[in-house]
Amino acid sequence: LYRQEGVEDGIYVPIEVNVHTQAGKVLTCRSYQMTDYVCGPPSPQYKMVICMGANQNGLPADYQKKLEAIETNNYAGPVPIMEEIEAAIEAKKINSA
């Protein structure tokens, strides 16, 4: 995650946040905060990772539809970490078959 989120490059810093579950538990979770926030649409690659995570974790279908409807910035340049993610997905498909 450090490499994916640009921590080494100073783009994001890791932070801890408390998350309250529906069962009343408080979980301390790691998140990443952008150091110089710039408002704008996500890249298609980032949107794909977020949507995959929502699906993998069984988030509500209506929430997943909202995520899928988000417009992207249409970035088509290199995203080296995406090659690793795609290779991991393919390896999982092969191992599950």
Side-chain angles (χ1 to χ4, degrees), residues 19-27:
V19 175
H20 300 262
T21 69
Q22 289 180 334
K25 289 185 177 182
V26 178
L27 305 173

Side-chain angles (χ1 to χ4, degrees), residues 3-97:
R3 193 166 26 130
Q4 178 180 322
E5 298 304 335
V7 172
E8 294 170 353
D9 298 326
I11 299 169
Y12 287 86
V13 294
I15 61 172
E16 289 187 351
V17 294
N18 290 326
V19 175
H20 300 262
T21 69
Q22 289 180 334
K25 289 185 177 182
V26 178
L27 305 173
T28 300
C29 300
R30 172 160 291 199
S31 187
Y32 294 87
Q33 183 174 29
M34 185 180 274
T35 54
D36 291 318
Y37 177 71
V38 177
C39 184
S43 68
Q45 300 85 350
Y46 185 73
K47 176 183 168 183
M48 182 181 80
V49 169
I50 296 301
C51 291
M52 287 171 35
N55 180 269
Q56 181 180 12
N57 289 286
L59 296 185
D62 61 328
Y63 182 73
Q64 290 188 49
K65 286 181 184 177
K66 287 180 184 179
L67 291 176
E68 289 290 342
I70 293 173
E71 297 285 331
T72 70
N73 63 11
N74 296 318
Y75 177 75
V79 182
I81 194 71
M82 288 306 297
E83 292 174 13
E84 292 180 39
I85 292 170
E86 290 167 351
I89 291 168
E90 280 302 312
K92 185 175 181 180
K93 286 180 185 175
I94 291 168
N95 291 333
S96 297

